[in-house]
Amino acid sequence: MTHLPILRHGVAYRSVDVVTVVHHRTRQPFVQISQANTGLIRRDLLRQDEARAELAAIPARDLIAMAAHAAELFMTATLPLDPVDGVTQSPQDYVEQLSSTTGLPHVLVRRNMRKIHGVLSQMGDVIAGLTRGLDISVLDTGVGESDGHLFSFYPRGHSLGVVLPNNSPGVHSLWAPAIGMKTPLVLKPGSSEPWTPYRIAYALMQAGVPKSAFCLYPADHAGGGEVLRSSSRGMFFGDASAARRFKGDSRVEVHGPGYSKVVIGNDRIDHWQDYIEVIATSVADNGGRSCVNASGLWVTGHAEAIAHALAKRLSQVVPRAADDEQALLAPFADAGVPGRVSAMIDADLAVAGATDVTAQYRGAERVKTTPDGTYLLPTVILCDSPDHPLANREFMFPFVSVVPVDEDALPELMGPSLVVSLISDNGDLRDRFVRSPHVDRLNLGPIPTNQIGWDQPHEGNLFDHLYGRRAIQRVA
Amino acid sequence: MSTTTLPSAMEAARQRLDAWVREVIEWHFDPATGCPFWLNWAANAGWDPRKEVHAYADLDKFGGFQDEWLRGGPVRQWVPKGYAGKPVYIFETGGSTGVPKARINIDDFRIDYENFSKTLPDDAFPMGADWISIGPSGPRRLRLAVEHLCQHRGGICFGVDLDPRWVIKLLKRNAFEEVELYKRHVIDQALTLMKAHDNIKCLFTTPKLLEALCERVSVKKLGITGVFCGGTEMTPQFHRFAVEELLDGIYFAPTYGNTLMGLATHKPPTVDDNWAIIYFPPAPRAMIEVVDPDEPTRLVGYGETGRVRLTTLTKEFFMPRFLERDEAEREAPCDQYPWDGVRNVRPFSKFATNVVEGVY
């Protein structure tokens, strides 16, 4: 059986403690993953200053060139997987392995590969976006000058620790730029999707980034906590309850549910038919598994007609085989989850004021089991008000609530939203969204919520997270 | 070289156990020597254990020993009349769940640790060397027991306290920074003592504190030659990590013990064990067995997983068929310990999520 070892500053280590992950469909053991004990993590990370020094000695431009080379390797090369046994991984192996443990269709894995390729190959642009166009050499010297003004940045610590999710490989594009910013990585891979962080790490190492910049510690929750505590800066991905544990810890950037939304203002609402494709893409692309997928459609009119049109459109999204190029839905790695999620939705539907309008297009059953796995079918809920328990929820499948709302109450009524695509030319409404502290990423116009511009940071700014700015003066 | 075969050694151990069971039952259920709890129990049970228990297997007739019997008072109901007038200690278990369980002690902890002392190699734990114990004291048996072990071997024992119940409270409210500060406070005190007293050569501590200590210093360079480690669960990976990375070749003696049982001894590891931690109970004074969780009178097969069942058989304390909050694999007898052992003890999976294990 394939084995994924721990990477301790780039060196493979097999633990006595292993977890076996099964193939989502056959339920047969598929991969063994070495588990790191917390003491091992702590002890390794005592040496992070050395790892940081080794990485920092390389000019940032060279690191960006290495990342570009790694992008090609990630897409095309056969890379190590288990150096202990000499096992390697081709790009096709990666696609199939990732699909085997998560259920993600091959076509979606490839689409996510391209996303990761994008961030690696354009790391210079990404960092320029994060630094608002600073000369990258400021990362080498710590001091720069702009329009005659001196500025200085300092690294806030020796490493970035990240507790990674399983939902979609695309999220790994968020931490990858840390390497270009001279920050070693300490990663706790997801339990069913460890494949991507390993492949990115091996691609970067083969491209010349020092091995010491990569610690990968598959572990239990305690190990994940240790990764965050022992790293000077952290990122945490998890569901709402897990994310709450790290709220208030300024060292840790928390990535919980996105509650992303499409909003249509009064001025465009009569043209809603024009936006059904943008909305459907926002909801269902990538199987609805990303925090940038829309889970809310907040409209100022025609709610029922829009809900039905969207439900009809999304009912075309059906389970297909993992290697079907048209596949858009992913089965759940744990076949028990769809039933439990569906039951949660039904429990809230018992509260008056919401209807599952998809039922009349796809049938009443929300859960479907095929030879390829157990799926949750796209679901459109029509709520009668923003107060309904289902009005602002997020699940890991194409799920969206259509919520009628008074334009004057926007955006305050929506609460925090990772992405909002605002379809309106109303300057006053746009201004209110621009000023809102609740919107992390704002798309003005009919742009799918999941369309990412790499020069535009969202979910916090990695550069600001890793570097602090200090005042500086010097004798002329 | 011994000519005794394992089967004959097992049979001899079984006969010794059965004889000891008869002696212990006679003591605990004799109105002149037994404790009020068991004498009352027998009066209500409708059968006389002295007449019906002839062997270890007959202890099944008691049914399961109830956890709740040890929580709350009156604690004097556990003092055997045969020991009236002797000084009595009260020792408590972890206290991570509700009212702690308590057990009375007179000399058991001394006897247990003197027996355990015989398993420690003298080159790693030199006679006459001083010890340091870094771990829980307070209501626990551990401090007195380790101190007695040290004194029994001719040493003087330094101590640094850690309050595990406070650590558990900190962990429950995610106060990790306070946990780190407290741990540092404990280790600071230990390092001060270890640097000031050259004759400290033996160390007792818990797994987490051993990690924390070794993050700060090489204990080998400080003159430590033997480490006795216990108090909480240890995984095979921790065992390997301790031996390969923390201790620079220092002798490592992991143990599994608790207030209710006494102290189990770790079988010296072999390559085939793959760092599994294999313990054998101090038979006949206590037995650890692995049973079917749904049918706790049935032992699982060797190598199979089940719930840990404890039977304590001393004249101070009789506790038949107590289901621990742990699970393990059943280990076959070996030449050194010709009775059942346990492999890789860990929290019982059905309860694991409800118990916070901490620094301690």
Side-chain angles (χ1 to χ4, degrees):
Chain A
M1 195 187 324
T2 305
H3 187 112
L4 291 181
I6 294 163
L7 284 187
R8 306 176 69 181
H9 295 112
V11 178
Y13 172 93
R14 259 192 198 192
S15 173
V16 179
D17 185 11
V18 296
V19 163
T20 301
V21 180
V22 299
H23 188 292
H24 82 92
R25 180 167 39 80
T26 65
R27 312 311 294 172
Q28 294 301 306
F30 187 80
V31 58
Q32 279 193 328
I33 307 175
S34 274
Q35 301 292 296
N37 51 302
T38 54
L40 178 147
I41 297 170
R42 287 176 70 95
R43 193 166 180 83
D44 281 359
L45 298 185
L46 295 175
R47 295 193 284 127
Q48 277 310 87
D49 283 333
E50 296 166 34
R52 157 80 194 172
E54 192 178 358
L55 190 61
I58 301 171
R61 281 186 202 293
D62 292 354
L63 290 173
I64 286 165
M66 290 174 194
H69 182 201
E72 299 313 312
L73 295 171
F74 180 83
M75 290 299 283
T76 60
T78 292
L79 294 170
L81 187 63
D82 176 10
V84 178
D85 275 354
V87 176
T88 57
Q89 181 193 61
S90 69
Q92 184 60 23
D93 291 337
Y94 164 75
V95 170
E96 292 173 9
Q97 286 163 338
L98 196 154
S99 180
S100 297
T101 54
T102 64
L104 205 63
H106 297 186
V107 63
L108 295 188
V109 181
R110 290 200 191 89
R111 211 174 286 172
N112 280 284
M113 283 179 86
R114 288 194 286 278
K115 199 183 265 190
I116 291 161
H117 175 270
V119 81
L120 290 174
S121 63
Q122 300 166 50
M123 197 175 283
D125 292 342
V126 173
I127 295 175
L130 296 169
T131 63
R132 295 132 187 128
L134 287 180
D135 183 336
I136 192 79
S137 65
V138 73
L139 294 175
D140 301 326
T141 60
V143 180
E145 198 172 320
S146 175
D147 295 332
H149 300 287
L150 270 183
F151 57 82
S152 176
F153 290 93
Y154 62 92
R156 293 186 193 271
H158 52 46
S159 52
L160 175 66
V162 194
V163 173
L164 294 166
N166 289 310
N167 60 325
S168 171
V171 300
H172 300 295
S173 49
L174 286 174
W175 51 261
I179 288 296
M181 290 185 265
K182 304 190 168 197
T183 307
L185 290 163
V186 182
L187 307 176
K188 194 225 123 182
S191 53
S192 62
E193 206 283 86
W195 310 100
T196 308
Y198 276 92
R199 190 164 174 83
I200 293 174
Y202 281 124
L204 286 163
M205 283 189 270
Q206 290 228 333
V209 178
K211 283 181 163 188
S212 62
F214 301 95
C215 288
L216 270 72
Y217 298 118
D220 56 13
H221 290 310
E226 199 58 65
V227 161
L228 293 177
R229 282 191 293 280
S230 295
S231 302
S232 34
R233 309 301 286 177
M235 288 169 101
F236 175 85
F237 294 85
D239 64 18
S241 62
R244 269 196 292 275
R245 281 194 294 139
F246 295 98
K247 281 279 183 200
D249 184 344
S250 61
R251 297 178 314 108
V252 180
E253 200 174 82
V254 176
H255 298 250
Y259 303 116
S260 297
K261 297 175 181 73
V262 175
V263 177
I264 307 178
N266 275 333
D267 60 317
R268 305 304 306 164
I269 197 66
D270 291 339
H271 303 277
W272 59 266
Q273 291 98 331
D274 297 346
Y275 311 123
I276 286 295
E277 273 312 304
V278 166
I279 297 163
T281 300
S282 300
V283 173
D285 246 25
N286 206 36
R289 291 166 74 100
S290 304
C291 50
V292 292
N293 281 118
S295 55
L297 172 58
W298 291 49
V299 295
T300 50
H302 306 294
E304 187 170 351
I306 294 171
H308 279 273
L310 185 58
K312 191 174 176 184
R313 167 67 183 80
L314 290 178
S315 67
Q316 296 163 16
V317 178
V318 294
R320 296 176 187 275
D323 56 358
D324 187 325
E325 288 299 307
Q326 303 300 314
L328 198 56
L329 281 184
F332 282 73
D334 177 348
V337 168
R340 293 199 290 274
V341 170
S342 188
M344 277 170 69
I345 295 169
D346 285 336
D348 284 331
L349 281 171
V351 178
T355 320
D356 180 349
V357 293
T358 359
Q360 73 182 81
Y361 301 98
R362 58 146 153 78
E365 287 300 322
R366 199 176 292 122
V367 177
K368 182 164 186 178
T369 298
T370 76
D372 287 300
T374 302
Y375 299 78
L376 274 161
L377 300 179
T379 295
V380 178
I381 303 291
L382 175 61
C383 296
D384 66 357
S385 96
D387 299 325
H388 192 276
L390 284 172
N392 205 354
R393 298 287 285 279
E394 179 177 299
F395 299 102
M396 211 172 73
F397 76 105
F399 170 93
V400 64
S401 297
V402 181
V403 182
V405 63
D406 182 346
E407 187 175 281
D408 292 340
L410 290 172
E412 284 70 25
L413 200 59
M414 298 188 327
S417 307
L418 177 60
V419 186
V420 170
S421 289
L422 173 62
I423 302 173
S424 171
D425 296 324
N426 177 340
D428 178 55
L429 182 62
R430 283 187 169 203
D431 282 349
R432 294 208 305 266
F433 272 83
V434 167
R435 288 196 303 271
S436 172
H438 295 310
V439 181
D440 280 289
R441 183 184 190 93
L442 181 60
N443 294 327
L444 294 171
I447 302 169
T449 54
N450 58 321
Q451 185 175 310
I452 303 297
W454 290 118
D455 61 336
Q456 297 287 324
H458 76 286
E459 293 207 85
N461 181 316
L462 187 60
F463 176 70
D464 292 344
H465 193 48
L466 299 179
Y467 282 83
R469 183 171 180 179
R470 69 157 67 81
I472 189 167
Q473 301 179 81
R474 69 181 171 199
V475 176
Chain B
M1 193 175 143
S2 169
T3 55
T4 312
T5 62
L6 182 57
S8 64
M10 287 167 60
E11 179 53 30
R14 171 59 61 177
Q15 286 181 15
R16 197 164 58 244
L17 175 64
D18 287 344
W20 178 244
V21 164
R22 289 191 291 273
E23 190 175 336
V24 164
I25 290 290
E26 187 61 37
W27 169 269
H28 282 288
F29 292 93
D30 182 335
T33 54
C35 68
F37 177 87
W38 283 119
L39 294 175
N40 289 339
W41 185 92
N44 294 323
W47 61 282
D48 184 352
R50 287 185 296 175
K51 290 183 180 156
E52 298 192 28
V53 173
H54 308 291
Y56 179 75
D58 296 334
L59 296 178
D60 284 348
K61 293 178 183 173
F62 282 91
F65 187 95
Q66 299 302 305
D67 187 276
E68 289 305 313
W69 293 344
L70 295 175
R71 297 184 196 272
V75 75
R76 286 176 190 278
Q77 68 181 333
W78 295 101
V79 180
K81 291 180 183 174
Y83 290 133
K86 292 213 171 205
V88 175
Y89 296 95
I90 184 80
F91 296 137
E92 292 177 4
T93 60
S96 56
T97 47
V99 178
K101 292 189 284 288
R103 172 191 170 178
I104 64 105
N105 247 257
I106 298 161
D107 281 319
D108 268 356
F109 71 94
R110 297 190 184 94
I111 297 166
D112 288 339
Y113 276 70
E114 286 173 20
N115 287 338
F116 174 70
S117 177
K118 294 172 195 158
T119 70
L120 294 179
D122 288 348
D123 55 340
F125 297 89
M127 303 303 277
D130 291 340
W131 286 55
I132 184 168
S133 174
I134 314 169
S137 56
R140 285 179 186 70
R141 188 189 58 153
L142 200 51
R143 180 259 163 121
L144 285 177
V146 172
E147 189 160 23
H148 180 73
L149 172 66
C150 164
Q151 290 170 351
H152 180 68
R153 299 179 69 85
I156 295 171
C157 189
F158 293 83
V160 179
D161 180 41
L162 175 128
D163 178 358
R165 294 176 189 169
W166 177 238
V167 174
I168 286 165
K169 280 192 173 172
L170 293 176
L171 290 174
K172 279 186 174 168
R173 62 178 167 90
N174 292 334
F176 298 114
E177 203 174 327
E178 286 181 59
V179 172
E180 286 300 314
L181 287 170
Y182 185 39
K183 197 158 64 176
R184 175 166 280 272
H185 168 61
V186 170
I187 298 301
D188 283 347
Q189 295 172 76
L191 286 176
T192 301
L193 291 170
M194 292 166 81
K195 288 173 182 169
H197 298 280
D198 290 345
N199 197 41
I200 296 178
K201 297 191 186 317
C202 308
L203 165 66
F204 169 81
T205 194
T206 66
K208 286 277 197 294
L209 289 175
L210 180 63
E211 286 174 355
L213 183 66
C214 295
E215 283 170 17
R216 303 271 296 275
V217 291
S218 159
V219 289
K220 187 175 189 177
K221 285 185 183 160
L222 278 181
I224 298 295
T225 55
V227 172
F228 165 34
C229 190
T232 52
E233 166 206 13
M234 250 174 281
T235 64
Q237 173 59 25
F238 173 81
H239 183 198
R240 173 190 177 190
F241 175 65
V243 171
E244 288 187 345
E245 303 192 38
L246 299 182
L247 295 176
D248 301 326
I250 294 173
Y251 187 89
F252 183 62
T255 54
Y256 173 67
N258 60 40
T259 304
L260 302 182
M261 170 185 67
L263 191 61
T265 312
H266 175 225
K267 179 178 90 67
T270 65
V271 174
D272 290 344
D273 293 338
N274 193 29
W275 301 100
I277 308 185
I278 299 166
Y279 298 114
F280 287 90
R285 291 170 53 78
M287 297 297 289
I288 320 174
E289 289 155 313
V290 183
V291 298
D292 179 345
D294 299 321
E295 194 187 333
T297 54
R298 186 183 78 77
L299 298 186
V300 301
Y302 288 118
E304 290 179 8
T305 304
R307 192 166 172 183
V308 174
R309 190 184 73 179
L310 181 60
T311 295
T312 302
L313 296 162
T314 75
K315 287 192 173 176
E316 291 178 19
F317 188 56
F318 171 58
M319 188 184 70
R321 310 304 193 232
F322 175 71
L323 290 174
E324 276 283 14
R325 300 176 69 87
D326 291 326
E327 67 184 19
E329 282 74 47
R330 183 183 176 195
E331 184 72 13
C334 62
D335 290 338
Q336 200 173 351
Y337 303 101
W339 52 81
D340 268 18
V342 286
R343 178 184 283 248
N344 293 338
V345 178
R346 57 208 178 257
F348 186 42
S349 46
K350 283 187 185 167
F351 296 158
T353 53
N354 299 327
V355 177
V356 175
E357 293 265 338
V359 169
Y360 149 59

